[in-house]
Amino acid sequence: MMIAKVIVDIPVKETDRPFDYKIPLEFESFIQPGMRVLVPFGPMKRLGFILSIETQSEIKNLKSISQVIDPTPVLTKELLSLGKWLSTETLCPRLFAYSAMLPAVLKGNYKKMVRINDQVSLAREFPTLLDTLLNKPEMEWTELLKKEPEQSDSLNAAMKKGFISIIQWIKNDRRTYKKIRYIATSLSKDELIDVTSKLDKRSLKQKQVLEYFINQEPHLKVEISDILKRLNVGRSTLKQLVKKGFLDETTEEVYRDPYADKEIERTTSLSLTTAQKNALAPIQESIRSQSHEVFLCHGVTGSGKTEIYLQAIEKILNMGKEAIVLVPEIALTPQMVHRFKGRFGDEVAVLHSGLSQGEKYDEWRKIHEGAVHVVVGARSAIFAPFKNLGLIIIDEEHETSYKQEEQPRYHARDVAIFRGKYHQCPVVLGSATPSLESYARAKKGVYHLIQLLERVNQRSLPEVQLVDMREELRSNNHSMFSKQLFERLEDRLEKKEQSVLFLNRRGYSTFVMCRDCGYVVQCPHCDISLTYHRKQGMLKCHYCGHQEPYPSQCPECTSHHLRYFGTGTQRVEEELTKVLPEARVIRMDVDTTQRKGSHEKLLKAFGEGKADILLGTQMIAKGLDFPKVTLVGVLAADAMLHLPDFRSSEKTFQLLTQVSGRAGRDQLPGEVIIQSYSTEHYSIIHASYHDYHSFYDQEMQMRYRHHYPPFYYLALITLSHPQVTKVVDIAEKIAGHLKKGLSSDAQILGPTSSAIPRIKDRYRYQCMVKYKREPNLLALLKRIQEHYPTGTKNDDLKITIDLNPFIMM
């Protein structure tokens, strides 16, 4: 007898272990670890992942696997071991770890369906309900309550009496495949001429189709939709020709290709500078010797890091191996994709959130089936199911988007290093502004440091000018544009050069306040002010999504003296049209890029010179390379500087350096104007000089003094509950457990309320642990997690434990 050890798709601690199932004889010949199966679990059937196959079990009377879903394993042996490691390191159920590795269409879709148990009794007591159920036999319970709300009492009463029941049904395969119908002919040219001449004179359309094939290459296969459009004929014409045996119709499955309609010019390797050759050499040596090493490539903006990545991948492909390239979601611009597609063509799969579910599935399938050897993608692409990895690259490695904020709370860098060790291949981390943790590891020799401190072809870094907005106010300039920035914008318009304006706040204004009583319009569900979006005339919460119309008077004192405070991208756009009416402006933020393809469309328009100014949030700070951009303006450099986050100085320095790097990337020299109310802050001063090393030294002193990473590790425990007394009580108990269970060297901070004390009507409290070596910490946190189970029916408590957190609020 063969036994499968299965992780079942129920994410609670009681089921976070393998369950034994008997493998029916008909499955024994092909079943393997990593496949998904359908298994009976209590009264229902659930999806599960096979972890291993054994020959015996300690449990008697085992249930059997009901169905094998995959013809081949969706998780490789490596990904199964990675999931186990991820579950331990991030304190999440193993199920979440495996689910994170798969596209959405391969995840279970459970529905509650209504089943009639006693039709006679139902007809007697609830005749209207019976008619509804018989007319809509496949309707889901929640859908039924939504579409037939008047039947809710009858449904509940009939269920109590046992006339109906709810069964759980799983749609275990949501995969859809794109199919294309083709038309072709097996007749020779002479045979086609012969049959065409014999056709009835009235069959003009049929003759037209046959003449088309006479003039083409023999056995040409044409898409039916294409020929119908080209020749302006109907389906019936083709059907008649197929029926007569003159044409053959076939259907073929094809991959969806999100880049099929894009013209991508093929490129070849560029000649490298001496600095680039020196940077590439140790990476190629690691590839050649098949040894695992982590490289930190610290290269200023425009130093040619991407060309190093491309030539390293070329070596990998020549060896018959595979490569993963991660870029931040906001840097996954068409430019970046085109560079990789242009060099490696159909060898490249692309994975990011802008694709449809079907496109994501087909890109994943190309990887899984070995049809491609390079994947370029955002964070989750680190789980690409390659079996022969030769190189992993993480570009802009400092980006916080590489850390997932839901379970499993992994950092893509840690996963990359795990996979690099498994495959004995190099991992390359690249950035103009490396995270302090990575640079500290490189300085200690844990990572191999590679430096590119000059731009390609000795192009100079853009000149940066700091403008103190306090001085602007003193000189009676109340505009959002300083005198210097406004003059430079006018100058660029005259020269027909392009400018980029950066402001990391969307919307029209950050809050609305009554000038009479000081009331600020707050979100009713979160302790945060609402942001005004003028175009829709709405106040919106960027945390819970609540929105309401702009009030005509103050809700507190009924005054009509309401005023906007703070500046968002919408307001800057409006101001630009007033002060520079001749300027063509493209605004890029979450509001303007919601529709599929809009991100690419806007950047393409800017690249083609259809706009003079690109205005946007941090999505424009990275990955953009436009030769005509000679001016970058930063409107509120200190927007992030005063947030309650120990990384705020680092994030400010990184963002300013990255956005400054968009200027002067080609022949024309670049210039940057940074507007700030904190021009004396060291992060802004060092960013203005492009001086990473001075910033690193000063920030490391601050981190050392206050016991923050990279000198200490952090663990953040966040609790939330609808009742503030409950959350405070449990937070204090957890802090007590931590103090008892950890050594005196560990620092336990809190409990204290979070920076935003309430989100979505839930009160939030935090405890933080700072530590160097605490071997008992993971086990203690696991016990806390198990002692206070979250998401149970009896309690509304939620606890999240984040090791090495990136968002402190």
Side-chain angles (χ1 to χ4, degrees), residues 34 98 114 123 174 305 311 318 339 367 370 583 606 650 685 730:
Y98 293 135
V114 181
R174 294 182 284 154
K305 295 187 292 292
Q311 295 200 18
N318 291 338
R339 288 178 88 165
I367 302 162
F606 187 68
E650 183 183 10
I685 291 169
I730 295 173

Side-chain angles (χ1 to χ4, degrees), residues 95-152:
L95 172 74
F96 283 155
Y98 293 135
S99 296
M101 300 176 184
L102 297 176
V105 295
L106 296 184
K107 295 169 190 176
N109 184 21
Y110 299 94
K111 293 187 175 182
K112 291 176 179 176
M113 312 299 286
V114 181
R115 180 170 65 189
I116 299 170
N117 299 330
D118 186 343
Q119 191 165 326
V120 176
S121 301
L122 199 61
R124 185 178 65 249
E125 293 195 34
F126 304 100
T128 315
L129 177 59
L130 179 64
D131 290 342
T132 301
L133 294 176
L134 290 176
N135 289 332
K136 300 168 182 174
E138 288 293 308
M139 190 171 282
E140 191 193 352
W141 172 261
T142 50
E143 197 182 342
L144 195 62
L145 289 174
K146 193 176 175 182
K147 290 192 174 176
E148 307 280 341
E150 69 282 356
Q151 299 274 21
S152 62

Side-chain angles (χ1 to χ4, degrees), residues 262-534:
K262 310 281 188 301
E263 284 185 28
I264 299 175
E265 193 180 327
R266 290 306 295 263
T267 61
T268 53
S269 298
L270 304 174
S271 57
L272 300 180
T273 63
T274 305
Q276 284 175 309
K277 284 175 187 171
N278 293 339
L280 182 60
I283 298 169
Q284 288 188 325
E285 176 54 31
S286 178
I287 291 168
R288 190 196 60 74
S289 61
Q290 297 186 24
S291 59
H292 168 65
E293 196 169 349
V294 181
F295 295 91
L296 178 63
C297 183
H298 175 212
V300 299
T301 54
S303 60
K305 295 187 292 292
T306 307
E307 186 61 31
I308 292 170
Y309 304 156
L310 291 166
Q311 295 200 18
I313 292 167
E314 207 169 330
K315 187 170 180 68
I316 285 296
L317 296 182
N318 291 338
M319 294 169 69
K321 293 192 168 191
E322 301 143 343
I324 293 173
V325 183
L326 295 192
V327 293
E329 183 73 58
I330 52 173
L332 247 171
T333 59
Q335 285 185 335
M336 180 62 90
V337 172
H338 284 203
R339 288 178 88 165
F340 284 89
K341 284 264 188 189
R343 190 68 58 89
F344 305 118
D346 293 337
E347 286 280 351
V348 181
V350 182
L351 289 171
H352 61 88
S353 62
L355 305 180
S356 68
Q357 283 199 5
E359 286 169 342
K360 279 181 197 168
Y361 174 58
D362 276 3
E363 292 293 289
W364 178 87
R365 209 155 49 106
K366 286 181 200 172
I367 302 162
H368 186 253
E369 293 168 8
V372 296
H373 294 90
V374 180
V375 60
V376 178
R379 181 180 60 228
S380 61
I382 194 60
F383 298 116
F386 282 138
K387 299 178 184 71
N388 192 18
L389 260 176
L391 178 65
I392 302 172
I393 294 165
I394 303 183
D395 192 32
E396 311 289 7
E397 70 85 33
H398 64 277
E399 266 295 313
T400 54
S401 62
Y402 287 129
K403 173 72 190 290
Q404 173 146 308
E405 295 305 325
E406 300 87 39
Q407 285 188 316
R409 292 181 176 82
Y410 67 89
H411 196 293
R413 181 179 56 227
D414 301 329
V415 178
I417 291 169
F418 179 96
R419 296 196 75 182
K421 284 176 185 169
Y422 186 94
H423 290 277
Q424 282 301 294
C425 72
V427 173
V428 179
L429 312 173
S431 176
T433 54
S435 66
L436 262 70
E437 289 90 334
S438 292
Y439 201 76
R441 283 175 192 155
K443 295 267 277 188
K444 285 174 76 175
V446 179
Y447 297 165
H448 183 135
L449 181 62
I450 295 167
Q451 305 217 64
L452 292 160
L453 302 180
E454 288 184 356
R455 282 185 161 184
V456 174
N457 299 333
Q458 275 76 52
R459 287 190 198 115
S460 58
L461 286 162
E463 185 186 316
V464 181
Q465 184 180 349
L466 290 182
V467 177
D468 190 334
M469 293 305 282
R470 293 167 296 190
E471 291 297 325
E472 291 292 307
L473 285 172
R474 288 186 195 112
S475 61
N476 214 26
N477 177 11
H478 296 277
S479 161
M480 58 186 72
F481 306 113
S482 63
K483 187 184 172 195
Q484 294 93 320
L485 179 57
F486 184 70
E487 285 172 357
R488 301 301 192 286
L489 285 169
E490 284 186 313
D491 176 63
R492 291 328 187 260
L493 285 172
E494 278 177 32
K495 291 177 178 173
K496 303 214 176 324
E497 293 171 7
Q498 291 177 306
S499 306
V500 168
L501 287 182
F502 171 78
L503 174 68
N504 210 17
R505 280 198 295 250
R506 63 191 176 103
Y508 186 81
S509 67
T510 44
F511 64 97
V512 172
M513 189 174 85
C514 173
R515 283 186 292 177
D516 286 351
C517 72
Y519 174 81
V520 175
V521 185
Q522 297 270 107
C523 173
H525 311 291
C526 310
D527 288 336
I528 198 88
S529 59
L530 292 175
T531 302
Y532 179 45
H533 288 246
R534 187 165 189 170

Side-chain angles (χ1 to χ4, degrees), residues 727-753:
V727 79
V728 171
D729 178 48
I730 295 173
E732 285 173 350
K733 285 177 182 172
I734 286 174
H737 290 313
L738 292 169
K739 282 167 187 167
K740 280 182 194 171
L742 298 176
S743 74
S744 57
D745 294 333
Q747 298 177 31
I748 290 95
L749 307 180
T752 182
S753 63

Side-chain angles (χ1 to χ4, degrees), residues 4 6-10 15 18-24 27 36-49 61-69 110 168 170 172:
V6 178
I7 285 278
V8 182
D9 187 7
I10 302 176
T15 58
F19 288 85
D20 290 1
Y21 284 91
K22 193 161 63 180
I23 300 173
F27 300 154
R36 292 173 308 141
V37 288
L38 203 59
V39 293
F41 197 88
M44 53 195 158
K45 288 189 177 175
R46 306 290 293 197
L47 268 179
F49 295 98
N61 304 321
L62 287 176
K63 291 179 180 179
S64 294
I65 289 171
S66 306
Q67 186 185 338
V68 178
I69 292 164
Y110 299 94
Q168 192 150 32
I170 177 171
N172 56 49

Side-chain angles (χ1 to χ4, degrees), residues 114 122 126 129 141 144-145 149-166:
V114 181
L122 199 61
F126 304 100
L129 177 59
W141 172 261
L144 195 62
L145 289 174
E150 69 282 356
Q151 299 274 21
S152 62
D153 291 342
S154 301
L155 278 163
N156 288 314
M159 194 159 67
K160 277 180 187 171
K161 293 188 175 188
F163 301 162
I164 61 171
S165 60
I166 292 176

